Amino acid sequence: MVCFLHRLISALRCYWDEYKASNPHASVSEEAYVPPQVFYNGKVDYFDQQRLGGLLSHLRKTLKDDLASKANILIDPLELQAATMDDLDEDQEPSPAAAQRPVQALAIGGALPLPRPGWLSSPTLGRANRFLSTAAVTLMTPRRPLSASEKVKVRTLSAEQRTREDIEGGPWNEGLLLGRPPEEPEQPLTENSLLEVLDGAVMMYNLSVHQQLGKMVGVSDDVNEYAMALRNTEDKLRRCPKRRKDILEELTKSQKVFSEKLDHLSRRLAWVHATVYSQEKMSDIYWLLRVCLRTIEHADRTGPLFAFTPEFYLNVAINSYSALKNYFGPVHSMEELPGYEETLTRLAAILAKHFADTRIVGTDIRDSLMQALASYVCYPHSLRAVERIPEEQRIAMVRSLLAPYEQRPWAQTNWILVRLWKGCGFGYRYTRLPHLLKIKPEDANLPSLQKPCPSILLQQHMADLLRQDPDVAPSFLNSVLNQLNWAFSEFIGMIQEIQQAVERLERNFVDTRQLKVCATCFDLSVSLLRVLEMTITLVPEVFLDSTQPTSEMLLQRLAQLLNQVLNRVTAERNLFDRVVTLWLPGLESVDHYPILVAVTGILVRLLVHGPASGTEKATSVLLADPCFQLRSIRYLLGHPEPPGPGAAPPAPDRKRFSLQSYTDYISSEELAQVEQMLAHLTSASAQAAAASLPTSEEDLCPICYAHPISAVFQPCGHKSCKACINQHLMNNKDCFFCKATIESVEDWRAGGASNTSSAA
């Protein structure tokens, strides 16, 4: 398939340029693309290929007015009725006759086609038949010149009823280019038949060629494995005593087998690089990538009609770039291709614009776009391409990333924000975690294992949006704190189950999937903490400015979560400590360092780098939280916990965690800031303990039992502390107790209520 695609593209470009030589208004092959009207005028049957906006029958019904106004196309009412009946039939038990209905008839929503010729169903044609078969559109109006206000009524025909004129066109008939939107040029790009072949080549790459390119990479992996096995065998031969002739004989046999296999695979790899991963094939894939980019750009200009674009155009753009970057190296480099920087920028603009495009409804393609953008920002050259797109597109992308996390896939979004920050955070300049350096990664080319490459420009866009829009910061941070609370709670619950399973006397095995989910929750907790650290660094006033109505509530929630994380992780010989020492497969990423340095970075930003007024406010909120324990801060620097009364002293040879042990990851300036924070909290906690007054049980908040009652709800009159009710009102407007709608919240203190109130 790869060689066939190469010949097809070579012939296509040759004929395309020949047409350009005889038609000056046509385009050259370097500017080739598929016009957007091909996707909605019914000329080409895409069978079961999904469209960006959903099912074709659904799009024809919902966008029929746009088709009429922008493309002068009227869908035949009989087709709309047939499509509606097909939708109804799907909900019912299919009859034997309906079960035998050809798939293509359902896809195009037309009448049942005539019997297909036998040669079209030949298995020797394989998948090529699926994109070379096309449907036709007949004109229901007399063939005469059409004015701009006239509409063409079309209906879909079977492939066997199509004529050459239906594709190439004729007098007063545009053929394949029927329904040209106003954004497209009037002069044809090339012959219509060449456009059909180009569209088929893109579909062909999506159906089979990309998978074959990926399989060929396995040959290189096999060569590396056998080379490693041969090297290990030769090392054993050198170390084996000469008196052990039996072992020497077996090792010699193994060496011969590995050597012969490696020789065979090396020849095969040389053939693959000469024929499949050649410079010519690379140029073909690159040309196809640029065709897809131009096609997507032109389709995007049609507005709502962009939804008719088949999903595989975006898939081919993403996959072809991945193939050029990962499959053809190191013999050939993508950077040597003409227009490399411009192509990267255009692909970055498409990913940045369409990963949150409401016109795209398919879950799979939306996930693919999100993953592609997440991978794009992990590499310096592609991240710089994102920074080169127009400023309004960059701001729109960052605004989409800062949308609330609820009711949407947020893990990849959070990962993108983390990659934009990695390299700037406290102790966050590592490529791999310190405790994993001795373990060889399975694939060093993974996006998560790339060196940090933060984007100061995109960070600045994020800071500007959080400052300028008063609604963005509270909703975004509230969702981040909600997800952090969920992820860390799930992680703690899972390690409790794992610990219980390990301690059972009977033989048992921990489910591998449970271990992976547990590690994922831990990684999510760390990444969410890093996003909070970035937010506090860029816009500390969101948490520390008393003039902002939500700052106090956000700061209280943040302090509560930080104390919970510290207490769970820093307690000696606790659940977290025991699970980490087990070294269970699947929990390799779970360790003290990543989560404690993330928490430390947040605390340092609040208590050391902030202004004096902000530091005082953050200190008071942190100390007022009932879960705060000074020993958790002392743990960060390796200070031992004073033994309680009757408790045994810790073992002197027990290795203790300390940030001071990670000199290659944490600078001396950062360590000095942690020591300054510890001294500040030690002094402040002593002063707070001396000034604190006991609170009667009746005056404690009935929700948290940690703070005194300070708020009363109207109109029901129930009470709680301000922290509980403010946090509750971010997500729900009903009273804790009676479920009545809260209209306002008033200040309350024992002995009487003040007049200060706020709307719920």
Side-chain angles (χ1 to χ4, degrees):
M1 276 294 182
V2 177
C3 295
F4 176 72
L5 180 66
H6 168 63
R7 295 188 179 96
L8 181 65
I9 291 178
S10 299
L12 176 61
R13 298 185 65 177
C14 178
Y15 285 116
W16 195 297
D17 290 332
E18 285 183 1
Y19 183 85
K20 165 64 178 176
S22 58
N23 296 270
H25 296 290
S27 66
V28 295
S29 62
E30 285 298 327
E31 300 175 358
Y33 68 93
V34 179
Q37 58 264 40
V38 175
F39 305 140
Y40 56 74
N41 64 13
K43 292 286 186 176
V44 178
D45 180 9
Y46 290 102
F47 296 93
D48 57 349
Q49 297 295 318
Q50 187 67 277
R51 308 299 180 105
L52 293 178
L55 294 175
L56 180 60
S57 58
H58 168 74
L59 293 175
R60 284 177 170 173
K61 287 185 289 185
T62 57
L63 299 179
K64 60 180 183 296
D65 294 337
D66 295 289
L67 285 172
S69 61
K70 293 182 68 69
N72 290 334
I73 285 181
L74 294 178
I75 302 298
D76 192 341
L78 294 177
E79 281 207 358
L80 292 178
Q81 183 179 1
T84 304
M85 295 303 296
D86 287 341
D87 294 339
L88 293 175
D89 291 342
E90 291 177 0
D91 299 331
Q92 302 172 358
E93 185 70 23
S95 62
Q100 299 176 1
R101 183 175 181 177
V103 175
Q104 62 267 27
L106 295 175
I108 62 179
L112 288 175
L114 299 174
R116 297 171 62 85
W119 65 270
L120 279 177
S121 303
S122 172
T124 58
L125 292 179
R127 289 179 172 174
N129 172 46
R130 297 186 62 79
F131 76 85
L132 292 176
S133 300
T134 55
V137 176
T138 58
L139 302 182
M140 305 299 293
T141 56
R143 294 194 173 182
R144 54 184 175 79
L146 298 173
S147 64
S149 60
E150 289 181 299
K151 307 293 188 293
V152 179
K153 185 186 294 184
V154 299
R155 63 184 178 91
T156 310
L157 298 179
S158 62
E160 290 75 15
Q161 294 174 301
R162 188 186 67 174
T163 64
R164 179 182 180 86
E165 186 180 0
D166 290 319
I167 295 299
E168 290 296 342
W172 310 326
N173 177 19
E174 295 181 279
L176 191 69
L177 300 181
L178 175 70
R180 179 182 61 84
E183 295 83 6
E184 285 298 298
E186 295 183 4
Q187 298 296 331
L189 302 174
T190 185
E191 292 184 69
N192 291 357
S193 58
L194 296 181
L195 291 175
E196 186 183 14
V197 174
L198 176 59
D199 179 70
V202 176
M203 188 187 296
M204 179 181 177
Y205 182 89
N206 178 68
L207 291 175
S208 61
V209 174
H210 183 73
Q211 289 84 343
Q212 289 193 357
L213 288 174
K215 289 179 180 178
M216 296 297 181
V217 178
V219 179
S220 178
D221 296 337
D222 293 341
V223 169
N224 293 332
E225 290 180 5
Y226 276 96
M228 182 68 69
L230 179 61
R231 189 159 49 248
N232 293 337
T233 304
E234 292 173 347
D235 291 341
K236 293 177 181 178
L237 275 171
R238 286 192 294 268
R239 296 196 307 268
C240 183
K242 296 186 180 297
R243 64 179 183 275
R244 298 302 304 268
K245 295 183 179 180
D246 54 337
I247 299 179
L248 286 173
E249 183 180 357
E250 293 297 326
L251 288 175
T252 303
K253 290 180 180 178
S254 299
Q255 182 188 26
K256 182 179 179 181
V257 171
F258 290 146
S259 179
E260 291 177 353
K261 188 66 175 179
L262 184 61
D263 185 56
H264 169 72
L265 288 174
S266 298
R267 290 195 184 96
R268 187 180 179 189
L269 182 62
W271 176 85
V272 167
H273 279 291
T275 58
V276 178
Y277 296 134
S278 63
Q279 183 67 41
E280 293 79 10
K281 304 293 193 307
M282 187 178 189
S283 299
D284 290 340
I285 305 301
Y286 182 64
W287 182 77
L288 209 60
L289 166 62
R290 292 167 67 90
V291 166
C292 290
L293 296 182
R294 282 188 289 268
T295 300
I296 296 168
E297 290 169 350
H298 281 263
D300 180 41
R301 296 171 193 161
T302 61
L305 298 184
F306 177 68
F308 282 96
T309 307
E311 283 185 357
F312 65 78
Y313 272 88
L314 277 173
N315 282 326
V316 171
I318 295 170
N319 292 334
S320 58
Y321 169 73
S322 176
L324 292 169
K325 182 167 66 73
N326 299 319
Y327 296 165
F328 287 86
V331 179
H332 306 292
S333 174
M334 185 181 177
E335 298 179 4
E336 301 172 357
L337 296 170
Y340 164 74
E341 296 290 342
E342 178 199 0
T343 302
L344 276 188
T345 305
R346 294 171 70 177
L347 178 57
I350 288 174
L351 295 177
K353 180 174 183 180
H354 297 300
F355 84 96
D357 194 337
T358 56
R359 295 172 295 180
I360 301 177
V361 300
T363 303
D364 292 340
I365 188 62
R366 291 177 71 90
D367 288 345
S368 297
L369 286 168
M370 183 69 74
Q371 292 173 11
L373 182 59
S375 175
Y376 220 70
V377 299
C378 292
Y379 300 88
H381 56 281
S382 52
L383 178 60
R384 302 301 166 243
V386 175
E387 295 179 343
R388 289 195 299 268
I389 66 177
E391 183 178 1
E392 62 274 10
Q393 293 187 17
R394 295 197 306 265
I395 294 175
M397 179 191 74
V398 175
R399 185 182 295 276
S400 299
L401 293 174
L402 295 180
Y405 283 0
E406 282 80 10
Q407 298 180 354
R408 72 184 182 97
W410 57 270
Q412 289 289 350
T413 299
N414 196 77
W415 168 254
I416 295 173
L417 293 175
V418 168
R419 288 300 308 189
L420 299 180
W421 175 246
K422 190 171 186 179
C424 297
F426 182 93
Y428 202 38
R429 295 170 292 277
Y430 56 82
T431 301
R432 300 189 66 206
L433 291 170
H435 68 287
L436 296 179
L437 290 179
K438 296 181 181 180
I439 303 176
K440 184 179 179 181
E442 296 181 0
D443 186 1
N445 294 323
L446 289 175
S448 58
L449 297 179
Q450 303 308 307
K451 293 182 179 180
C453 51
S455 174
I456 305 301
L457 177 61
L458 297 178
Q459 290 177 23
Q460 188 59 47
H461 289 328
M462 176 180 173
D464 293 340
L465 286 172
L466 291 174
R467 284 195 187 98
Q468 296 169 3
D469 194 332
D471 297 328
V472 171
S475 58
F476 169 69
L477 292 173
N478 179 61
S479 64
V480 172
L481 293 169
N482 287 341
Q483 300 301 339
L484 175 58
N485 181 48
W486 169 84
F488 190 73
S489 299
E490 288 291 317
F491 167 71
I492 293 299
M494 289 182 183
I495 63 174
Q496 287 176 344
E497 296 176 1
I498 293 170
Q499 178 67 20
Q500 292 171 2
V502 170
E503 290 179 348
R504 293 193 188 111
L505 296 179
E506 66 272 12
R507 185 177 181 182
N508 60 84
F509 298 94
V510 181
D511 188 2
T512 306
R513 292 174 298 179
Q514 184 181 12
L515 294 175
K516 291 182 178 179
V517 173
C518 181
T520 300
C521 288
F522 179 80
D523 294 338
L524 288 175
S525 301
V526 174
S527 62
L528 288 164
L529 286 168
R530 287 298 185 179
V531 169
L532 289 172
E533 179 192 16
M534 174 173 61
T535 305
I536 294 171
T537 303
L538 297 176
V539 280
E541 60 270 21
V542 174
F543 290 90
L544 303 178
D545 188 359
S546 301
T547 62
Q548 298 192 17
T550 59
S551 63
E552 184 176 359
M553 184 272 298
L554 292 174
L555 184 58
Q556 289 174 345
R557 291 196 63 193
L558 177 64
Q560 183 184 50
L561 287 170
L562 294 181
N563 285 326
Q564 290 288 346
V565 172
L566 285 173
N567 292 341
R568 293 284 190 175
V569 177
T570 61
E572 296 186 7
R573 298 178 296 278
N574 69 342
L575 179 65
F576 184 86
D577 204 25
R578 290 197 298 269
V579 171
V580 168
T581 56
L582 290 176
W583 272 95
L584 296 174
L587 295 183
E588 293 85 359
S589 63
V590 179
D591 191 64
H592 292 81
Y593 180 83
I595 195 165
L596 287 183
V597 291
V599 173
T600 305
I602 296 174
L603 292 174
V604 166
R605 283 291 169 183
L606 289 173
L607 303 175
V608 177
H609 289 285
S613 59
T615 299
E616 182 179 354
K617 178 181 178 180
T619 303
S620 62
V621 171
L622 188 67
L623 297 180
D625 187 81
C627 296
F628 174 78
Q629 298 184 34
L630 187 61
R631 65 151 187 87
S632 299
I633 309 299
R634 295 168 59 86
Y635 181 93
L636 299 175
L637 294 175
H639 295 178
E641 179 181 353
D653 57 343
R654 186 177 185 274
K655 186 177 180 181
R656 302 183 58 82
F657 174 86
S658 175
L659 295 178
Q660 297 171 342
S661 304
Y662 299 92
T663 53
D664 294 337
Y665 296 86
I666 301 176
S667 64
S668 56
E669 292 80 7
E670 290 173 330
L671 287 174
Q673 293 167 4
V674 178
E675 293 174 352
Q676 180 183 349
M677 177 185 68
L678 175 59
H680 170 71
L681 287 177
T682 302
S683 173
S685 60
Q687 296 176 9
S692 62
L693 297 175
T695 303
S696 64
E697 186 174 347
E698 292 78 8
D699 294 334
L700 285 177
C701 172
I703 302 300
C704 65
Y705 282 94
H707 302 288
I709 295 175
S710 56
V712 58
F713 319 149
Q714 297 299 337
C716 63
H718 288 109
K719 305 178 185 67
S720 75
C721 66
K722 286 184 179 180
C724 288
I725 187 57
N726 287 338
Q727 178 177 340
H728 179 69
L729 290 176
M730 290 291 292
N731 305 301
N732 198 319
K733 302 298 183 183
D734 296 337
C735 174
F736 291 114
F737 308 99
C738 64
K739 302 302 179 183
T741 302
I742 300 175
E743 298 178 359
S744 64
V745 177
E746 297 180 355
D747 293 341
W748 185 91
R749 61 178 180 269
S754 67
N755 295 326
T756 306
S757 64
S758 61

